[in-house]
Amino acid sequence: MNSFGNDARFTGSIPELYESHLVPLLFEPCAADLANRVAGRHPSRVLEAAAGTGVVTRAMAHALPIHVDLVATDLNQPMLDRAAAIGTSRPVKWQQADATRLPFDDASFDIVVCQFGVMFFPDKARAFSEARRVLRHGGVLLFNVWDRIEENEFANTVTAALAGLFPADPPLFLVRTPYGYFDPEVISRDLADAGFSATPRFETIAARSRAASARVPAVGFCQGTPLRSEIEARSGGDVGDATSACAAAIVERFGTGPVDAKIQAHVVIAQR
C-alpha cells in the first residue's frame, strides 16, 4: 500500500500530538542547531519552508536580531495554526505556501531553511529549484534530513513492531518518507538538477532522544504523524492497540521508566 500522496497530511489531532510528543522527543535539539547556523550567517531576511508547528521558527526568533525579517511557511494550515497559537518571542509572518510553488519574488531571501521537511516534498528537485529562485546571489539553502531508520532507534523499533502486528501489509510510512531520504548522492543529484552548481556540504550529527516513558514515542509516532492513517486503513487497524504494541516493543528494547535512544541526521548546506 503506497500512500505517499497522503504522507504530508498533518490534520485532525495530529498537529497537537506532534507538538506535545514529537517536538520534545526529536525536534527541539535539532532546531537549536539549525537556528544557530542561521544566526551565524547574519541574514537580513529568512524564509522557512515546512515550518510545521514552529519549533525551528521559535528557535530562530530567539536567535536572530529583531530587525531580521522571518517568514515561516507550511503547506498544512492546521500545523501553522498550531504554531501561531504557541507564538514566538517576536513577530513572525506565518503564511501557507507550497514549497514547490513559492509565492515570493526572485532573489528575495538570504537563507531558506527547512527542518525535516524536504522528505515530504513530492518533487524535491522542483522544491530545491524554488528555494534557489528566491535566494539572493550567495544565499544558502540550509536543511536537515534524518539518516537511515536503523540509525534512529525509536522509529526503527516502532516500524518493526508494526510489521509484527500487520505482517501481510506492514505500515511503511516512517521508512518511506521521514526516514527515506538520507542518501547524500541522491540529495546532491536533486540539488544539481535544481540548479545548485556548488557541491553541497553534509554534516552528520547524532544525539540522544529521551522521554519519560515508552508510551511517549509510541503515541508520537503512531498518533502524531500520518502513520496513524496507515494503521487505521488496515483490517483490524486499531490505533490504540498499535500504540500499545509499539510501547511494549520500546519497553522490551529500552526498559521501563524513562527511555533514551539514538537519533541521527544529516545537515545539508547548499550555496546559490
Side-chain angles (χ1 to χ4, degrees), residues 45-69:
R45 195 163 192 239
V46 177
L47 172 65
E48 183 182 359
T53 57
V55 61
V56 174
T57 323
R58 294 190 291 274
M60 289 194 295
H62 177 75
L64 293 169
I66 189 68
H67 70 268
V68 178
D69 188 18

Side-chain angles (χ1 to χ4, degrees), residues 4-135:
F4 188 87
N6 295 321
D7 283 359
R9 294 190 63 186
F10 287 75
T11 57
S13 63
I14 288 177
E16 174 63 33
L17 290 169
Y18 175 98
E19 173 63 32
S20 61
H21 287 65
L22 291 183
V23 164
L25 186 73
L26 302 177
F27 299 126
E28 282 180 346
C30 298
D33 174 77
L34 275 190
N36 289 334
R37 292 172 187 268
V38 171
R41 292 182 173 273
H42 308 291
S44 62
R45 195 163 192 239
V46 177
L47 172 65
E48 183 182 359
T53 57
V55 61
V56 174
T57 323
R58 294 190 291 274
M60 289 194 295
H62 177 75
L64 293 169
I66 189 68
H67 70 268
V68 178
D69 188 18
L70 181 53
V71 181
T73 67
D74 198 278
L75 180 64
N76 291 281
Q77 188 63 46
M79 296 290 270
L80 286 180
D81 291 343
R82 181 67 184 135
I86 297 169
T88 55
S89 59
R90 66 173 184 83
V92 168
K93 181 178 181 181
W94 304 100
Q95 183 170 342
Q96 185 177 24
D98 183 340
T100 64
R101 292 187 294 273
L102 292 173
F104 305 107
D105 292 338
D106 295 356
S108 54
F109 294 93
D110 302 300
I111 296 178
V112 176
V113 63
C114 184
Q115 167 152 283
F116 302 122
V118 301
M119 305 92 80
F120 293 89
F121 301 156
D123 186 339
K124 296 170 180 61
R126 180 171 175 176
F128 291 155
S129 178
E130 277 291 275
R132 183 181 182 278
R133 179 184 65 77
V134 303
L135 279 171

Side-chain angles (χ1 to χ4, degrees), residues 245-267:
C246 291
I250 293 169
V251 166
E252 182 177 356
R253 182 171 179 181
F254 299 100
T256 58
V259 289
D260 181 319
K262 177 186 176 183
I263 55 174
Q264 186 160 296
H266 302 307
V267 178

Side-chain angles (χ1 to χ4, degrees), residues 193-242:
D193 289 346
F196 285 92
S197 56
T199 302
R201 288 172 43 212
F202 289 81
E203 297 181 26
T204 301
I205 55 173
R208 305 301 298 179
S209 181
R210 298 180 174 89
S213 72
R215 188 157 181 84
V216 173
V219 170
F221 283 112
C222 292
Q223 301 182 33
T225 74
L227 180 59
R228 176 175 192 143
S229 298
E230 275 202 331
I231 293 169
E232 292 175 336
R234 279 150 178 78
S235 176
D238 181 88
V239 72
D241 291 343

